[in-house]
C-alpha cells in the first residue's frame, strides 16, 4: 500500500468513525552497536547450512551495523460504528512492503461472542499476538514470537468468552489464507485455535495451535531438498508443505514484577517452502517433514522509575533428528535489559529508555571449513507510545 493511498484512507476516516474515533501511535528508535565483526558480514541470503548464512533466524537488518534505526513509526486507529460493530486499522510507514498491518471489523452480536474479519494476527502465541509493541519489555520480540506468532494474515476468528470459577475463559477458532499480508493465493487455509484462561490477579495461561499447507498456486514449482535421500518431486507435491504449530504459555504479572514462559513446536512446512513460484531453487529447509521446537522464559522486576529484565530464548529448527550437513540449526538469545520510565507511572513500558545487551549462539554465519559464528549486540532504545 502506497503513501498516497494511506493519506486518502485517513481522510475518509473522519465520517467513518465520527461517533467514536480513537487515535494512538508508537515511535521506537534504536541505536545498535555490534560487539564484534561477525554481524557486519552477516548475510541471510544462503539457502542451506552448507552455504554462507542461514535462512532460519529472523533479525531486523538494523542489527547488522552500528548506527541509528527507526524501528517503528506505527499509527493505530479504531472506532465504533454501532454498539455491536467496531473497526481498527494499524500501519507502519517505515515497514518495507505492505505498510498496512491491521484492517479488521469486529462484530459482537451478544455478550461473550465476537467475530473478527479482515487482516490481523492469527490467535497464536503470547508475546507475538497478545502483547502490543508499546508493552514490550525488550528491544524487540523473542525469536519464538518473531518467527511464529508476530505475523499478520487475512481471515476470520470467532471468540467465545465466559466466566469460569473466577477466571475468564476464551475459546477462539479461526481460518486464514496463509499468505500473510498478500492476497489469497490458493484454496488451502490455515485453521487455528486458542484456549485461554485469565484471572484478575494477573494470571494467564493458554494452549494454541495451527494446521495448514502450502500457499502456492497450482502452477507452483518444486524446490529440491539438499539431503542425499531427498524425496522425489511427486512426494514433495503430495506433502504440500504441511505446516503446524502446537504450543502453550503461562504468565504471572503484578505491578512490580512479571514472569512468563512460552513453548511451541511443530512442522516448519510452508515457512521454509518446497513449493513456490518459478524458477526452481534450493529449498530453504533440509527435510520434507522438518520439525522445530522453541521456548522462551522472561523475568522482570520493577522499582520506581527503573525496571530490570532477563530473557532466555532457544530455537531448534531440526528437533528430533540429525541434520544432513553442517552444524545443528539451534539458536539461543540471552537478553539482559534495563529500562527507565520517562512518562507517567502508567506509561512505564510505553514511554521509556531501554538498554539491552544481547548474547547470541548458533550458526548465524557459517561456511564450510569454518566454525559457526554468532554476533552479540548492545541496543539503546528510545520509545514513545501515545
Amino acid at each position: 500500500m502506497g503513501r498516497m493511498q494511506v493519506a486518502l484512507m485517513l481522510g475518509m476516516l473522519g465520517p467513518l468513525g465520527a461517533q467514536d474515533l480513537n487515535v494512538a501511535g508508537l515511535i521506537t528508535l534504536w541505536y545498535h552497536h555490534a560487539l564484534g565483526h561477525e554481524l557486519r558480514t552477516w548475510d541471510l541470503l544462503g539457502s542451506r547450512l552448507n552455504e554462507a548464512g542461514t535462512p532460519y533466524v529472523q533479525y531486523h537488518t538494523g542489527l547488522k551495523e552500528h548506527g541509528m534505526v527507526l524501528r517503528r513509526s506505527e499509527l493505530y486507529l479504531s472506532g465504533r460504528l454501532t454498539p455491536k460493530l467496531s473497526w481498527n486499522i494499524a500501519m507502519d510507514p517505515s515497514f518495507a512492503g505492505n505498510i498496512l498491518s491491521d484492517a479488521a471489523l469486529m462484530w459482537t452480536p451478544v455478550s461473550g461472542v465476537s467475530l473478527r474479519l479482515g487482516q490481523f494476527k492469527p490467535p497464536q502465541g503470547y508475546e507475538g499476538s497478545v502483547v502490543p509493541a508499546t508493552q514490550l519489555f525488550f528491544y524487540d520480540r523473542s525469536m519464538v514470537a518473531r518467527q511464529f506468532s508476530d505475523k499478520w494474515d487475512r481471515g476470520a476468528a470467532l471468540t467465545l468468552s465466559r466466566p469460569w470459577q473466577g477466571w475468564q475463559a476464551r475459546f477462539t477458532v479461526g481460518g486464514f489464507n496463509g499468505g500473510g499480508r498478500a492476497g489469497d493465493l490458493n484454496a488451502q487455509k490455515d485453521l487455528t485455535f486458542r484456549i485461554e484462561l485469565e484471572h484478575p490477579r494477573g494470571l494467564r495461561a493458554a494452549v494454541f495451535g495451527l494446521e495448514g499447507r502450502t500457499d502456492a498456486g497450482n502452477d507452483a514449482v518444486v524446490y529440491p531438498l539438499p539431503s542425499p535421500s531427498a524425496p522425489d518431486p511427486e512426494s514433495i507435491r503430495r506433502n504440500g508443505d504441511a505446516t503446524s504449530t502446537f504450543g502453550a504459555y503461562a504468565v504471572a504479572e503484578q505491578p512490580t514484577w512479571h514472569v512468563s514462559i512460552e513453548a511451541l513446536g511443530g512442522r516448519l512446512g510452508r515457512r521454509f517452502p518446497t513449493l513456490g513460484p518459478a524458477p526452481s531453487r534450493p529449498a530453504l529447509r533440509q527435510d520434507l517433514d522438518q520439525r522445530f521446537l522453541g521456548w522462551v522464559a522472561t523475568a522482570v522486576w520493577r522499582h520506581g522509575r527503573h525496571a530490570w529484565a532477563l530473557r532466555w530464548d532457544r530455537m531448534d529448527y531440526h528437533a528430533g533428528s540429525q541434520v544432513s550437513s553442517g552444524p545443528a540449526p539451534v539458536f539461543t538469545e540471552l537478553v539482559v535489559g534495563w529500562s527507565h520510565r520517562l512518562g507517567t507511572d502508567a506509561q512505564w513500558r510505553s514511554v521509556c529508555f531501554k538498554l539491552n545487551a544481547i548474547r547470541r549462539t548458533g550458526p548465524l554465519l557459517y561456511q564450510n571449513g569454518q566454525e559457526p559464528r554468532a554476533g552479540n549486540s548492545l541496543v539503546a532504545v528510545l520509545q514513545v507510545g501515545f
Side-chain angles (χ1 to χ4, degrees):
M1 174 177 287
R3 273 62 175 172
M4 185 172 295
Q5 288 90 334
V6 171
L8 179 62
M9 181 177 63
L10 293 177
M12 297 172 60
L13 287 178
L16 178 63
Q19 294 180 335
D20 181 13
L21 175 63
N22 303 304
V23 180
L26 173 65
I27 298 174
T28 303
L29 298 174
W30 285 354
Y31 181 81
H32 173 252
H33 185 82
L35 301 178
H37 68 278
E38 290 87 358
L39 294 180
R40 297 184 180 185
T41 58
W42 186 13
D43 186 358
L44 297 185
L45 299 179
S47 62
R48 299 187 295 264
L49 282 177
N50 59 358
E51 299 176 3
T54 169
Y56 293 114
V57 178
Q58 294 187 346
Y59 281 104
H60 193 279
T61 55
L63 295 178
K64 185 171 181 177
E65 183 56 273
H66 306 328
M68 186 70 72
V69 179
L70 176 60
R71 177 61 181 91
R72 291 183 174 91
S73 58
E74 299 178 349
L75 181 65
Y76 313 104
L77 304 140
S78 62
R80 185 170 292 279
L81 300 174
T82 71
K84 295 183 179 181
L85 185 63
S86 60
W87 60 270
N88 77 287
I89 292 174
M91 66 192 75
D92 186 349
S94 66
F95 182 79
N98 184 351
I99 67 173
L100 185 66
S101 51
D102 284 73
L105 294 172
M106 177 83 77
W107 179 48
T108 308
V110 296
S111 177
V113 179
S114 64
L115 176 64
R116 194 175 187 192
L117 302 165
Q119 179 173 290
F120 53 97
K121 292 181 182 180
Q124 289 296 279
Y126 173 68
E127 189 184 42
S129 66
V130 176
V131 180
T134 56
Q135 301 299 302
L136 296 177
F137 292 113
F138 300 93
Y139 77 103
D140 207 351
R141 303 186 191 276
S142 66
M143 289 190 295
V144 168
R146 290 194 301 265
Q147 182 68 69
F148 297 104
S149 56
D150 186 30
K151 304 291 184 181
W152 283 265
D153 208 341
R154 295 176 180 176
L158 176 67
T159 299
L160 307 178
S161 180
R162 292 288 186 274
W164 179 71
Q165 298 184 0
W167 296 73
Q168 188 69 18
R170 287 184 290 270
F171 174 60
T172 302
V173 293
F176 295 87
N177 286 351
R181 303 189 192 192
D184 197 355
L185 299 178
N186 72 318
Q188 303 292 346
K189 305 299 177 193
D190 285 355
L191 301 179
T192 69
F193 80 91
R194 183 165 67 198
I195 303 171
E196 187 175 40
L197 295 173
E198 187 174 7
H199 196 277
R201 294 185 179 179
L203 303 177
R204 193 169 193 156
V207 294
F208 57 89
L210 176 149
E211 191 76 28
R213 295 175 69 83
T214 182
D215 64 343
N218 293 329
D219 58 347
V221 300
V222 173
Y223 299 165
L225 290 156
S227 171
S229 57
D232 60 83
E234 185 56 35
S235 297
I236 293 176
R237 287 190 178 278
R238 283 199 305 270
N239 176 268
D241 278 336
T243 307
S244 66
T245 302
F246 184 77
Y249 57 79
V251 182
E253 184 161 17
Q254 296 297 314
T256 58
W257 58 269
H258 166 103
V259 293
S260 61
I261 187 168
E262 181 173 350
L264 51 77
R267 290 177 169 183
L268 285 178
R270 188 189 64 242
R271 294 155 178 139
F272 301 96
T274 59
L275 297 169
S280 179
R281 54 186 181 269
L284 293 178
R285 66 181 194 267
Q286 295 170 292
D287 294 317
L288 191 59
D289 197 39
Q290 191 166 332
R291 309 272 174 152
F292 67 90
L293 179 64
W295 64 274
V296 55
T298 300
V300 181
W301 179 64
R302 180 187 173 217
H303 180 71
R305 287 181 171 268
H306 306 276
W308 291 264
L310 180 70
R311 183 176 73 197
W312 173 257
D313 199 3
R314 185 181 191 275
M315 277 301 313
D316 182 348
Y317 286 92
H318 213 299
S321 59
Q322 297 293 320
V323 297
S324 56
S325 63
V330 178
F331 305 86
T332 70
E333 183 180 279
L334 174 66
V335 185
V336 179
W338 164 77
S339 64
H340 180 68
R341 172 173 60 85
L342 301 177
T344 65
D345 191 60
Q347 297 172 314
W348 73 277
R349 294 193 208 180
S350 59
V351 182
C352 62
F353 172 80
K354 306 175 188 178
L355 188 63
N356 285 185
I358 308 162
R359 181 181 183 275
R360 305 181 182 93
T361 68
L364 288 173
L365 184 66
Y366 173 73
Q367 289 178 303
N368 281 333
Q370 298 182 6
E371 287 295 319
R373 291 178 288 162
N376 302 324
S377 297
L378 191 65
V379 182
V381 182
L382 179 61
Q383 176 172 297
V384 178
F386 56 90

